[in-house]
Amino acid sequence: MRRRCKDCPGGSRRPAPHPGPRCATHHRQILAARRQAAHGRHIQATYGITAEQYAALYTLQGGRCAICRRATGRGKRLAVDHNHATGEVRGLLCKPCNRDVLGHLRDDVSAFERAIAYLTDPPALRMLNGSDGHD
């Protein structure tokens, strides 16, 4: 006798090979709900924000990384960025922005200002154009 999915409509003939018993579709839904709940518990315990606050912040940021604005968090959730000294949550970032940009520069505002100056007025361009940058 083949088991039938307990979550499918009564007349469904879908097999239920997964625990529950559930079909593959309902099994995936249960796993996704468990992952979502685990993420909510993690951010609550680690950063002190609820899953609802995470979702509100995600919406406030337009569903994108606060720095690069490219990553949407659909493939891999955006990380909760926080000040390591105070624990204060700042926003949601993709992994490259969180670890490679902020992590590398260690939240040093003057380093970011130098990076902006470097990008807007590269020293090589000044040299190649015969200007020393001090007019």
Side-chain angles (χ1 to χ4, degrees):
M1 178 173 159
R2 285 177 39 174
R3 296 184 306 168
R4 302 284 176 226
C5 177
K6 70 181 195 175
D7 296 330
C8 283
S12 173
R13 300 183 55 108
R14 296 187 72 183
H18 299 284
R22 289 193 170 85
C23 66
T25 300
H26 287 110
H27 180 66
R28 281 191 301 271
Q29 288 176 347
I30 295 293
L31 292 179
R34 287 180 186 163
R35 279 192 303 274
Q36 187 70 23
H39 179 255
R41 288 188 302 273
H42 168 71
I43 61 173
Q44 176 71 48
T46 308
Y47 306 108
I49 65 170
T50 65
E52 292 78 19
Q53 289 171 316
Y54 179 96
L57 187 52
Y58 182 80
T59 301
L60 179 70
Q61 291 182 196
R64 299 194 173 278
C65 170
I67 293 179
C68 71
R69 308 295 297 152
R70 289 187 303 244
T72 62
R74 287 191 193 108
K76 178 153 176 63
R77 256 190 213 105
L78 297 177
V80 177
D81 175 50
H82 67 289
N83 182 318
H84 286 259
T86 65
E88 181 180 54
V89 171
R90 294 185 284 217
L92 304 178
L93 303 176
C94 64
K95 185 175 179 177
C97 288
N98 192 30
R99 288 204 174 156
D100 300 339
V101 176
L102 290 184
H104 182 70
L105 295 178
R106 308 239 193 278
D107 300 339
D108 180 2
V109 174
S110 62
F112 283 97
E113 290 169 345
R114 288 190 303 274
I116 291 168
Y118 173 83
L119 290 173
T120 56
D121 188 22
L125 274 181
R126 287 195 313 263
M127 182 195 71
L128 295 172
N129 290 334
S131 168
D132 65 0
H134 301 96
D135 295 325

